């Protein structure tokens, strides 16, 4: 029973594209570092959806294995990212990325 | 075993150099003496062993250390060969070198930089041995440059005196001019014969045609190298200045060994010179001209070492005259006898300077024979030897040169000049002798109270050298005596195809008789002038006319200064003030300006705003997609 034949690959592509775009826009326009981190997760998951969808469509489990890798890396990334955020908050009293402008010439 | 000896001979002085070179100023003198003199002495003993093997008919002994330069068709080994010619040079270098090392232990006793001096001396012996033992031109060249370096280091040994440093630099630069000739000669040999190995080159050359223009050019190039190293016109001016070095150095490097490297090289390449009579004639003419020219300058010098320096230049001219006419053995004969008597004379001069508390001007000496009896006798023997009094060594070698030059086709003019030169030689040597050792003492009272004979470490080498200076002529008796010419027989395997020049017995007798009469006359005249009438040379400022011209060495140094040094300095001043300042510095500075200005613009982008960076990343990714899917 193939799920692709019932819903169609296009829907998955649209879903992934919309999720990815929301992520990109969030990263671009939100100033709150936590939100930015969440948007990055959103982009990663958009990609995950594509992987899974194509994996089923082509009947090739390699795409699903890739998803697990991405999830593990994303978890690690969030751990590091949140640690940085905590330190940032302790030092600056805020998680607004516009307050972090010291690294320049 | 034999080949091991060949390796050990240069290795020992090198070890002596390395160890004594690492010692500091507080190092024990006995240790340094044992190390440096000992290494040269052992090398001397080993050289004697090799000499006897060759003497008893052994083939040349070789030792190959390693494959050195293997590039394409060029195959050069770092290897040594001792044949008859090298063996004689080995005996001179290590034998006289050892005596001079011993002498130096006395002469340099109060020198604070004792270890440095002896390490340089050992390094010199090492390079000189390399020069004469190599079995190809490149090893010889390494030694050739090495002895030049040691000469530089030792002339400028007392480097706190700027004049000495200038003399050292002058010697080095003059030698470099000659070295360029040597290098070009080597390249031409490689081009013509495809090898730089002596054996290969000489085998090929012995079948080459006479008067081949390439060979003539090769010979002239090599001769230019010899001109520099052996201080001949026009590159001779460094040698008199080199007397700035300590006196043992003048004796070892600038009289007995290094300056004869040029003669060694020409004797080594005698096959090539025999093929090119034109180059040979050039060598003879230059030699004769230098002999006369330097001897005349020697007449008016008042510094005891300067007189001997010009005499060295003049005697080297004799050797080149012999080589030029093709009498290679005779040239070597004079190298040997000259090494003995000139080393002796320099060491005696050192002993005199030592006694005179550093005074070198013969106008302040006089009457030293009573205070310095051993130095006096040995100096007298040296004077007799260099003037050519029979049966002292200089007589045999110089008369052989005169006879050979006389037999040379068209050599009568050269013979006449050389004969006149030998009279001049006797004149300035006796002038030096009478003024130094006879008459009344002319120095100050401080010097008078200090006058003393030198210690045993100085007098024993003097006595040994005097014995050899007196007797070394016996290895080359003229035909007249119907005794075998030991040196010619020994050297015969090395000299290939050279023309035979034999003077008739009657000519040899005439030469002996005439030279005896003339020498006796010169001795009498100089005695009359400088002792009986006590005519002391006038102060430099009082010289007039021709004699002023001669006393100032014909103003050759000034001429070189005006013709070469000044224009070169003008060019370099111009280059420094304009090319360096505007072109080179300008180019570098404009790059600096470009980087500065460029980075000033570019670094505006680095704002520190993370949002902007992310925007940049997204734009970049979009650009990549657009490029990938729509443009490519």
């Amino acid at each position: 029973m193939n799920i692709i034949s019932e819903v169609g690959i296009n829907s998955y592509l649209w879903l992934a594209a919309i999720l990815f775009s929301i992520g990109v826009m969030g990263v671009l326009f939100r100033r709150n570092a936590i939100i930015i981190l969440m948007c990055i997760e959103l982009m990663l998951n958009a990609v995950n959806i594509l992987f899974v969808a194509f994996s089923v469509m082509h009947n090739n489990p390699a795409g699903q294995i890739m998803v697990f890798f991405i999830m593990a890396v994303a978890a690690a990334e969030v751990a590091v990212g949140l640690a940085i955020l905590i330190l940032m908050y302790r030092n600056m009293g805020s998680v607004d990325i516009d307050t972090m402008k010291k690294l320049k010439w | 075993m034999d080949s091991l000896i060949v390796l050990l001979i240069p290795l020992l002085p090198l070890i002596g150099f390395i160890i004594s070179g690492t010692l500091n100023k507080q190092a024990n003198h006995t240790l340094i003496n044992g190390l440096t003199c000992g290494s040269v002495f052992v090398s001397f003993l080993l050289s004697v062993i090799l000499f006897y093997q060759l003497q008893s008919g052994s083939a040349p002994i070789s030792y190959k250390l390693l494959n050195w330069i293997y590039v394409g068709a060029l195959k050069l080994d770092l290897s040594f060969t001792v044949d008859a010619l090298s063996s004689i040079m080995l005996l001179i270098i290590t034998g006289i070198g050892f005596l001079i090392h011993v002498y130096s232990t006395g002469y340099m006793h109060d020198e604070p930089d004792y270890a440095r001096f002896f390490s340089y001396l050992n390094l010199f012996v090492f390079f000189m041995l390399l020069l004469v033992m190599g079995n190809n031109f490149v090893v010889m060249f390494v030694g050739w440059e090495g002895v030049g370096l040691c000469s530089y280091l030792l002339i400028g040994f007392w480097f706190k005196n700027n004049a000495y440093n200038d003399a050292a630099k002058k010697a080095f630069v003059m030698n470099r001019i000659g070295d360029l000739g040597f290098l070009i000669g080597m390249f031409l040999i490689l081009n013509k014969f495809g090898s730089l190995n002596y054996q290969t080159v000489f085998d090929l050359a012995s079948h080459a045609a006479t008067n081949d223009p390439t060979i003539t050019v090769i010979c002239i190039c090599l001769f230019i190298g010899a001109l520099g190293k052996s201080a001949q016109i026009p590159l001779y001016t460094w040698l008199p200045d080199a007397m700035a070095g300590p006196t043992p150095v003048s004796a070892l490097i600038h009289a007995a060994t290094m300056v004869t490297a040029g003669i060694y090289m020409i004797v080594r390449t005698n096959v090539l010179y025999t093929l090119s009579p034109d180059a040979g004639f050039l060598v003879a003419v230059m030699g004769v001209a230098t002999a006369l020219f330097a001897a005349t300058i020697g007449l008016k010098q008042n510094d005891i070492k300067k007189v001997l320096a010009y005499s060295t230049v003049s005697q080297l001219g004799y050797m080149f005259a012999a080589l030029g006419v093709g009498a290679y053995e005779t040239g070597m004969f004079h190298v040997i006898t000259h090494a003995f008597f000139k080393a002796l004379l320099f060491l005696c001069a050192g002993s005199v300077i030592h006694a005179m508390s550093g005074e070198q001007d013969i106008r302040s000496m006089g009457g030293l024979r009573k205070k310095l009896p051993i130095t006096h006798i040995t100096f007298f023997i040296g004077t007799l030897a260099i003037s050519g009094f029979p049966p002292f060594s200089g007589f045999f070698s110089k008369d052989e040169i005169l006879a050979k030059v006389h037999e040379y086709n068209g050599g009568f003019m050269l013979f006449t000049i050389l004969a006149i030169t030998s009279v001049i030689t006797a004149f300035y040597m006796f002038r030096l002798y009478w003024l130094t050792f006879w008459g009344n003492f002319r120095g100050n009272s401080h010097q008078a109270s200090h006058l003393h004979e030198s210690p045993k470490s100085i007098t024993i080498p003097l006595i040994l050298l005097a014995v050899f200076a007196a007797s070394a002529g016996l290895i080359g008796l003229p035909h007249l005596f119907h005794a075998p010419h030991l040196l010619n027989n020994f050297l015969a395997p090395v000299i290939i195809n050279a023309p035979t020049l034999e003077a008739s017995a009657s000519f040899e007798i005439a030469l002996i008789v005439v030279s005896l009469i003339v020498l006796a006359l010169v001795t009498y005249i100089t005695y009359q002038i400088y002792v009986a009438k006590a005519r002391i040379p006038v102060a430099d400022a009082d010289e007039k006319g021709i004699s002023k011209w001669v006393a100032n060495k014909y103003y050759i140094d000034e001429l070189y200064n005006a013709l070469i040094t000044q224009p070169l300095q003008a060019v370099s001043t111009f280059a420094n003030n304009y090319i360096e300042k505007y072109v080179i510095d300008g180019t570098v500075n404009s790059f600096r300006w470009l980087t500065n200005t460029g980075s000033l613009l570019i670094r505006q982008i680095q704002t520190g705003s993370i949002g902007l960076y992310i925007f940049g990343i997204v734009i970049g990714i979009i650009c990549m997609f657009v490029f990938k899917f729509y443009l490519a």
Side-chain angles (χ1 to χ4, degrees), chain B residues 429-447:
Chain B
M429 281 313 298
F430 273 100
R431 168 180 177 270
L432 183 63
Y433 169 70
W434 298 128
L435 283 174
T436 309
F437 291 99
W438 292 71
N440 297 319
F441 186 68
R442 298 181 292 274
N444 57 35
S445 55
H446 170 74
Q447 289 166 336

Side-chain angles (χ1 to χ4, degrees), chain A residues 14-24 39 42-43 45-46 49:
Chain A
W14 279 112
L15 176 64
I18 291 166
L19 277 177
F20 192 85
S21 302
I22 292 171
V24 169
C39 291
L42 212 53
M43 290 194 283
N45 283 319
I49 287 172

Side-chain angles (χ1 to χ4, degrees), chain B residues 23-39:
Chain B
L23 295 175
N24 63 11
K25 288 185 184 179
Q26 280 79 43
N28 187 330
H29 281 198
T30 322
L31 173 72
I32 299 168
N33 294 347
L35 198 66
T36 55
C37 302
S39 64

Side-chain angles (χ1 to χ4, degrees), chain B residues 243-255:
Chain B
M243 296 302 126
T247 308
V249 173
S250 311
L252 178 62
I253 301 186
H254 305 119

Side-chain angles (χ1 to χ4, degrees), chain A residues 27-28 100-101 103-105, chain B residues 603 606-609 614-615:
Chain A
V27 167
L28 280 182
M100 297 260 290
K101 285 194 171 178
L103 273 176
K104 58 180 180 180
W105 63 276
Chain B
R603 71 186 171 203
Q606 192 185 11
T607 57
S609 161
I614 297 172
F615 183 70

